[in-house]
Amino acid sequence: GTDGPDGTVGIPAGVIDRVLETGVAEIVTGLRASAPGAFLPGPIGPLEPDAAVVMPLRAGGRAGPVGVLAVGVNPYRPLDEEYQGFFTLVRRQVGVALTDALAYERQRQQVQVLADLDRAKMEFFQNVSHELRTPLTLLLAPLQDLLEASGERTQQERDDLEAAMRAAERLRRLVDALLDFSGAEAATLDPDLQPADLGGLTADVASMFRSTAEHAGLRFEVEVPPTPVTARVDRAMWSTIVTNLLSNAVKYTQQGGIDVRLAATEEAVVLTVSDTGTGIPADERDSVFQRFFRSPSGGRDRGAGIGLALVADLVKVHDGRVDLDSTPGQGTTFTVTLPLTTTPPLTTPPLTTPPLTTVRTIGGHQVLDPPDGVDRPRLLLIEDDDDLRAYLTRLLSSDGWAVQAVADAEAALAATADPDRPAPELVLTDVMLPGRSGLQVTLELRASPRTARLPIIMLTARGGSDAAAEGLAAGADDYITKPFSSQELLARVRANHELHELRESAVDQAEDKAASIRTALDSNRVIGTAIGIVMAGYRLTAAQGFQLLSRASQHSNRKLREIAAEVVDSGKLPLRPTVTDDLVMRVTSE
């Protein structure tokens, strides 16, 4: 039909209000005189409907009507009981479709709420990381400068500075542990398992504690196999395990030494961290891996009860176990055992030589491509400093990324526009670049349909909220201030990539469901119209009309929707008259 003067297809507003209020259908007559053109003629003849049935629409879960459905009455057929039954069938079909649409909308809103909560949680932890680590950086750097220039200071002043430095370092480690622990508490630890040489990785982490141990007069020995011990682990998590065990050993060892050993059997890799410290009483050994447990025998510096609990969580997600052997007054040994999965040995150290073998030239700049056959997530790195670009390439490659590294905006935009290459899955760009800046690159990537939804992370030496706001306003997903820790960078890169994949999956699911709903609504409309036509043409009930369409579908071996569409177009069944008469006789005689 066509809209009447009041926008209600010629139906008086009072009728619509009453149907909505009472939930009872009403019949409106005299439409040709009161609202000419309100309904177009049907396929059977030139007459316009003179009457319409206004019915309440109901949806599952709603107490009252959610709308009304106005349907013109066929002027060539009386509005008898069977015809009214057809209108009831139409109303129910539309109500079912409306219920499905409302249910889908509620589900979509729930998914959006959950996504907003997850994003708010992620933003909260990112903000906590930034707000706590930035003042710590500003605190540590001046303290370090004062210590290095303390030649003219008294011994007491140097002791005070060293105490302040130790306290600041302890606070930094506590902040890092709290952020890692929050992920374990929320059960969101998801290890990115990649082949790694645990011997080299363990030795690298342990080397950071050597100067601290030797400064305290402790013997510090690290023993790893001369050949690579290759296992599938999350490198960042393994580093956290070793760091927390060594921090605990250094804290509670006043004399003697600390031994770190890594060994491999046919089935497992075993890490032991032993010290000659105060030891752990027998009645506390079952509690040291519990969250927030603080030993009463630990003295003033008892920690926050986070480090060993985090170790236990990280070992657990690797399907391993951690054991404790301790004698009070003699020392403690922690043993971490991880299953050694079958993994081919690494031919090159993962942290020093990136597995990038193909070199191309785009716009006069070298671009490193991953080797053929390696299915890894693709990352576009834009950094003009040669040393930093090389370091980030090695770091990200060792973390499992296929890195394409370029030095300026022109090479980056050329790479993303190349139709022969797949688009990157994440972009990591410096803000200050020769020529066009990283902000301009971000704006251009957001303007291209091919890269509009890519996660983009910015690196900058500029601090402060204004710089971050400028980057985020340009379309960046995250903003990292130099200097930064490698673990923080890798964690943010992974988090943004995972959020992007979740977002894309949700979009695909929503589009598929919307397409299914549109198809179902269209099919219901076509079939309902066809039932009305055969009811009027062959004087059938609604049930007989549907049965006639079904038999016609079976007879012609075609889909019911296709048969219904031809009935709507031609006003009759697409069969020979004799076949049609035979089918009508069958459905009316049953």
Side-chain angles (χ1 to χ4, degrees):
T2 57
D3 289 344
D6 57 359
T8 55
V9 199
I11 305 300
V15 175
I16 294 177
D17 292 339
R18 284 198 305 273
V19 172
L20 282 173
E21 181 178 356
T22 64
V24 178
E26 294 191 18
I27 300 175
V28 180
T29 59
L31 293 178
R32 292 181 196 156
S34 63
F39 290 92
L40 297 177
I44 299 177
L47 285 179
E48 297 178 2
D50 190 51
V53 178
V54 183
M55 300 172 287
L57 287 176
R58 300 181 182 276
R62 303 295 181 92
V66 296
V68 297
L69 175 66
V71 184
V73 178
N74 187 348
Y76 297 99
R77 176 183 174 136
L79 187 59
D80 52 19
E81 182 178 352
E82 293 179 349
Y83 200 4
Q84 292 180 14
F86 164 70
F87 284 129
T88 301
L89 176 64
V90 172
R91 177 181 61 80
R92 289 175 179 173
Q93 288 180 326
V94 175
V96 169
L98 186 59
T99 299
D100 292 341
L102 291 174
Y104 166 72
E105 179 63 22
R106 286 195 299 270
Q107 183 182 17
R108 188 191 66 80
Q109 292 175 353
Q110 291 174 353
V111 170
Q112 184 62 43
V113 169
L114 292 176
D116 291 342
L117 288 174
D118 186 66
R119 182 171 58 254
K121 180 180 68 176
M122 181 62 66
E123 290 174 354
F124 170 75
F125 285 122
Q126 288 176 348
N127 290 338
V128 167
S129 174
H130 174 77
E131 294 300 329
L132 293 179
R133 286 175 175 169
T134 297
L136 281 173
T137 301
L138 297 176
L139 177 65
L140 285 166
L143 283 175
Q144 186 65 44
D145 292 341
L146 289 172
L147 279 172
E148 292 176 356
S150 61
E152 299 180 357
R153 301 186 186 278
T154 65
Q155 184 61 44
Q156 182 61 48
E157 290 175 336
R158 287 195 296 271
D159 291 343
D160 291 342
L161 286 174
E162 290 175 355
M165 188 70 181
R166 288 193 298 271
E169 284 287 353
R170 180 188 172 198
L171 183 58
R172 181 185 62 80
R173 289 193 298 268
L174 182 59
V175 169
D176 292 341
L178 280 172
L179 292 174
D180 290 335
F181 183 74
S182 64
E185 182 70 17
T188 57
L189 292 176
D190 185 15
D192 180 17
L193 301 179
Q194 298 291 337
D197 175 17
L198 291 190
L201 186 56
T202 301
D204 287 343
V205 175
S207 65
M208 295 186 295
F209 290 84
R210 182 173 299 278
S211 60
T212 302
E214 293 177 349
H215 181 74
L218 301 176
R219 173 181 48 81
F220 190 81
E221 294 184 2
V222 179
E223 181 182 331
V224 298
T227 58
V229 178
T230 305
R232 295 179 64 86
V233 299
D234 185 301
R235 291 180 176 87
M237 290 185 181
W238 181 260
S239 298
T240 301
I241 291 171
V242 179
T243 297
N244 284 340
L245 290 178
L246 285 174
S247 296
N248 197 71
V250 171
K251 182 189 303 182
Y252 295 109
T253 304
Q254 284 75 41
Q255 60 183 359
I258 298 172
D259 296 305
V260 181
R261 288 184 174 83
L262 185 80
T265 66
E266 293 182 356
E267 299 180 352
V269 58
V270 180
L271 168 71
T272 59
V273 177
S274 302
D275 64 62
T276 58
T278 57
I280 301 174
D283 59 348
E284 296 180 7
R285 293 174 194 170
D286 294 335
S287 304
V288 294
F289 296 111
Q290 295 178 4
R291 295 168 181 174
F292 305 116
F293 173 77
R294 304 175 70 193
S295 172
S297 60
R300 291 182 303 171
D301 189 13
R302 293 185 293 166
I306 292 176
L308 293 179
L310 181 59
V311 168
D313 288 331
L314 296 179
V315 172
K316 182 178 179 180
V317 299
H318 282 83
D319 297 323
R321 73 175 191 273
V322 56
D323 299 308
L324 164 65
D325 182 21
S326 183
T327 302
Q330 298 183 19
T332 302
T333 298
F334 288 95
T335 303
V336 175
T337 305
L338 299 186
L340 186 61
T341 56
T342 303
T343 304
L346 296 177
T347 57
T348 56
L351 295 178
T352 57
T353 305
L356 301 174
T357 58
T358 304
V359 180
R360 295 198 304 142
T361 301
I362 297 179
H365 299 275
Q366 285 188 332
V367 177
L368 302 176
D369 295 336
D372 294 337
V374 177
D375 186 14
R376 296 182 294 165
R378 299 176 300 278
L379 183 145
L380 176 61
L381 171 63
I382 314 171
E383 172 58 57
D384 61 317
D385 184 271
D386 295 338
D387 294 334
L388 183 56
R389 185 170 66 252
Y391 166 74
L392 290 175
T393 299
R394 290 194 300 271
L395 178 67
L396 293 163
S397 298
S398 68
D399 200 49
W401 290 90
V403 181
Q404 182 179 3
V406 297
D408 55 33
E410 286 68 25
L413 294 174
T416 57
D418 186 354
D420 296 330
R421 293 178 55 86
E425 298 176 42
L426 186 139
V427 176
L428 181 64
T429 179
D430 195 0
V431 172
M432 302 301 295
L433 296 171
R436 281 180 285 185
S437 69
L439 298 173
Q440 293 171 312
V441 171
T442 300
L443 290 171
E444 295 199 29
L445 291 176
R446 289 287 181 248
S448 172
R450 190 167 187 254
T451 56
R453 298 208 298 253
L454 277 182
I456 300 176
I457 302 176
M458 286 189 174
L459 300 174
T460 181
R462 297 171 54 197
S465 59
D466 291 341
E470 185 180 15
L472 296 175
D477 295 276
D478 206 348
Y479 197 87
I480 302 177
T481 303
K482 302 175 185 176
F484 49 82
S485 69
S486 59
Q487 292 187 7
E488 178 187 3
L489 174 68
L490 294 177
R492 291 201 183 193
V493 167
R494 289 194 209 103
N496 279 277
H497 182 248
E498 291 170 1
L499 285 176
H500 172 68
E501 289 186 328
L502 290 173
R503 183 168 59 244
E504 292 299 301
S505 175
V507 170
D508 292 342
Q509 292 177 9
E511 291 178 349
D512 291 343
K513 290 181 179 179
S516 299
I517 290 176
R518 286 195 296 269
T519 301
L521 289 173
D522 185 56
S523 297
N524 288 339
R525 180 184 61 79
V526 172
I527 293 173
T529 303
I531 290 175
I533 292 174
V534 297
M535 286 175 61
Y538 303 108
R539 301 191 64 79
L540 302 174
T541 66
Q544 291 172 339
F546 179 78
Q547 184 68 17
L548 179 61
L549 291 178
S550 299
R551 288 182 177 271
S553 171
Q554 297 170 359
H555 178 81
S556 59
N557 196 25
R558 297 170 62 191
K559 293 182 179 180
L560 179 62
R561 186 183 182 283
E562 295 178 0
I563 296 294
E566 292 202 25
V567 171
V568 172
D569 291 339
S570 63
K572 61 181 181 180
L573 287 172
L575 302 172
R576 296 194 307 273
T578 55
V579 174
T580 300
D581 293 341
D582 181 61
L583 294 179
V584 171
M585 184 178 300
R586 290 183 184 181
V587 299
T588 55
S589 62
E590 292 180 352

